[in-house]
Amino acid sequence: MSFRTLALLTVLALPTIAQAAERECAQSPGKVIEVCVFTRDGQALYAVSKGGKPVLAAAPMGLTFAGEAQARYTGITAAKRSASDTTWEQPWGEQRLIRDNHSELTVSLAGDTPLNRSVDVVFRLFDDGLGFRYAYAAIPADQAVAVTDDRTEFKPVGAYDAWWYEALGQERDEYLYKQTDAHRITLAETPLTLRQNNGRETGGLHLSIHEAALVDFPSMLLAGDGAGTYKARLMPWADGTLARKTGAFATPWRTVLIGDSAGALADSRIELNLNEPSKIADTSWIKPGKYVGIWWEMHLQKSTWGSGPIHGATTQNTKRYIDFAAKYGFDGVLVEGWNRGWDGDWIANGDKFSFTEAYPDFDIKAITDYGKAKGVKLIGHNETAGAVPNYEAQLEDAMKLYESVGVSQVKTGYVRHSGTILDQDGQPQWFAGQYMVRHNLHVAEVAARHHISIDAHEPVKDTGLRRTWPNMLSREGARGQEFNAWGDPTNPPEHTVILPFTRMLAGPMDFTPGIMDVVHGKTELTRRGQSTIAVQLALYVVLYSPIHMAADLPENYEARPDAFQFIRDVPTDWETSKTLQGQVGDYIVVARQPRGGKDWFLGALTDEQPRKLNQKLDFLATGKRYEAQIYRDGPWADFRTNPGALTVEKKIVTAKDSLDLDMAAGGGAAVRFKILD
Ligand code: NOJ
Ligand code: CA
């Protein structure tokens, strides 16, 4: 039976419409999570519990529109229930088959303003969390409306720690996380991860508040009131309105993952399940893979994006990278600085970028022909410097050109201080307000028509849209490896044990791992990579992305064949993934099985503390023997004093064994379990 047939057979129940009560409750399929909705003193409220214990206290819902007062909700007029248990297949992903087992409750609220006279709130309840969205179905098709407030609040019950950074800072989402009492949150980006204060010792609750299916709506931030309530704050247009809509619409889903461990958050698939199925019928041209690029050498200032004596993107240099990629089995070569517009202050002059005209020393045709003969693709690069109208004007021509020469992946970029992108009317735009949410999707749609996938840097945060547009392969949206070239400061070891439980809950990240020479000639710790070399290998497994870069210079890989072997072997597309151990900001162990394969890969990381973890291998197939190819921190390894020490060893293991993961300060481990019989 195909999974599709299975999906059809397992739809459990048809919707039932009940007489509306004053209070409507619904439970997740396994009766783990419960939501109750009611109105009180003119507010529409929802409250959430897990296993009978309150998790989110009653908190307001609904939107306010321009020209109307804040609505008073007077009651529930209808409630509709349904349940569904299906399994669907990802074209690529961290897990091939995804089960979507949820119950749904739709409550219709009556309000006392014209636009809020009738609003539906749709809840989807899973055993590991929930999502809810507002549907304003009664707005006439041609009526333009402006949202001026999202009243949604989240009120976690009890004391929580939070991992967060101040939202709307000039570097967008490229900040280090801080851990504080959640009450100290002022304005946080999502996903926002919270852990009950005693969580560490008792396995208390872990929450992640975020959103799913962010389409044609501004991105949601969370404003703390100092007393444990977090209110939705949407990135506004220049005139202060939040969202501009015409006719009936539904908001993105507001989501809350609720788990007993950090790993439960990481292994939740709610984010994907709340997005629509693929709008791209034939996805066979969308390919995960590994790439190298003319990139790190610019960040190390060995070559330049702009033209001149050390221009990086030359035909000759690109052929050198293509040779390297072909020799070691990489799928693509990213080339930055190939197009006109980089000379001078390119951030200030983004409107000068051409996306079709190459510098004279970069011969696209010769390069792509050379690549084709060697089985290596050129990966395009479109740095816009946030000059969006300039990019949109050239988008169609650019994608057409790239398709014609066989480019099937483009990295985009929006380097510009948050809030200073200018639209076609010269109005300032936030990097993830409704304008940029529209733009990011527009780029993906135009690209899809030309069979091109997108890897967006300085992007709108991920909300699971890869399900609907699988050519949205990966994105940045956090501090990546590039900070380890620049310094001031570089990413401390705990950064990569925070990311899996925060930013990565949104979706894949193009972190660009694999730096072999983490010190790159620097003496100060905060100006070079703060990890051991084993960490750089483990990141390929720990941080999920369908495309991963081997970011270092070719000569640095050839100098470390011991470590490089793991990067050559590790795939980027998985049958299944499991977070085996983890504490936010302390450590993590992840295992993934290659899609269609029998091997397993494991990645483990610690923070600045050396750490010994024992890991049971019961995820391996029972009764099979595996060769464990272990890449671990070598003798006296330490991210401060001896980052390059690596021990590679092999041993035979079975599912009955366990493995000691002995990690140095700022260290980690990477393992390939190669099946033997
Ligand atoms: C920032 C991106 O994150 C980086 O990867 C890129 O090299 C530069 N912008 C230049 O486009
Ligand atoms: Ca960046």
Side-chain angles (χ1 to χ4, degrees), residues 322 363-373 376 378 405-407:
I322 290 175
D363 184 338
I364 296 194
K365 186 77 175 62
I367 285 165
T368 47
D369 285 349
Y370 188 79
K372 267 174 216 153
V376 176
L378 174 67
V405 293
V407 167

Side-chain angles (χ1 to χ4, degrees), residues 11-18 24-30 33-35 37 78-86 100-108 120-127 129-133 135 253 273-276:
V11 173
L12 288 181
L14 293 169
T16 54
I17 301 178
E24 295 289 346
C25 300
Q27 291 185 329
S28 65
I33 304 290
E34 183 178 59
V35 69
V37 183
K80 203 165 73 180
R81 291 179 162 73
S82 64
S84 163
D85 186 1
T86 58
D100 177 359
N101 187 17
H102 69 259
S103 32
E104 187 171 295
L105 168 69
T106 302
V107 291
S108 303
D120 284 352
V121 190
V122 186
F123 287 88
R124 290 230 178 123
L125 301 158
F126 303 80
D127 285 342
L130 75 156
F132 60 97
R133 76 188 324 177
W253 297 91
N273 278 330
L274 289 175
N275 274 271
E276 300 293 319

